[in-house]
Amino acid sequence: MLGNKDFLAGLVFLAFGLAAMAIADRDYPMGTIVHMGPGNFPAALGAILAFLGLYLAARGLWNAPPGTRTAPLTWDLRPVGCIVGSMLAFGFLLPRLGLVPALAAMFVAAALGGRQLRWREVLALTAVMTVFAVG
């Protein structure tokens, strides 16, 4: 059961959804149905994420073949490191160099974690997403 990727992803989504709902309820006023407060939107998104997590966890439990042992989950450190590194690079470069260089560094660093790196696609995606972000 703990080796099932759907089940584990469902638990992660459920945890983030419940945390978002708790933070929204604690830090922002909810208001009423007629006059909604700023806490309603994050609470609703947290609820949607929690329900999605429940669905994924249930699907992971129901679709697991009975009596079979799954191989333990392993983490490939390269993609994880590249994604975390891309976020750190964005946060570091944004106040120093601005939005465009920070986005370019973020997309390129994140793409390095992929298995099939195609530079044309990475550069095109970087250009399009940077134009949307600046626009």
Side-chain angles (χ1 to χ4, degrees):
M1 175 170 73
L2 288 179
N4 189 327
K5 291 180 182 180
D6 284 342
F7 179 73
L8 291 176
L11 290 181
V12 169
F13 283 15
L14 179 63
F16 276 107
L18 292 176
M21 290 170 53
I23 291 169
D25 186 43
R26 182 187 61 175
D27 293 343
Y28 301 108
M30 285 294 179
T32 64
I33 294 292
V34 177
H35 299 286
M36 293 185 182
N40 278 328
F41 187 68
L45 289 179
I48 292 169
L49 190 60
F51 283 123
L52 179 65
L54 283 174
Y55 169 74
L56 278 176
R59 188 176 82 175
L61 287 177
W62 287 326
N63 290 341
T68 59
R69 296 199 95 203
T70 58
L73 290 176
T74 59
W75 286 83
D76 189 5
L77 294 180
R78 183 173 157 228
V80 173
C82 287
I83 296 298
V84 171
S86 72
M87 291 186 286
L88 292 174
F90 180 79
F92 179 77
L93 294 175
L94 183 64
R96 289 163 179 80
L97 300 177
L99 181 64
V100 174
L103 283 173
M106 180 187 72
F107 282 115
V108 170
L112 292 173
R115 293 188 179 159
Q116 298 175 348
L117 180 65
R118 295 185 182 107
W119 283 106
R120 280 189 194 160
E121 292 177 7
V122 171
L123 295 176
L125 176 67
T126 301
V128 169
M129 295 303 291
T130 302
V131 166
F132 278 128
V134 170

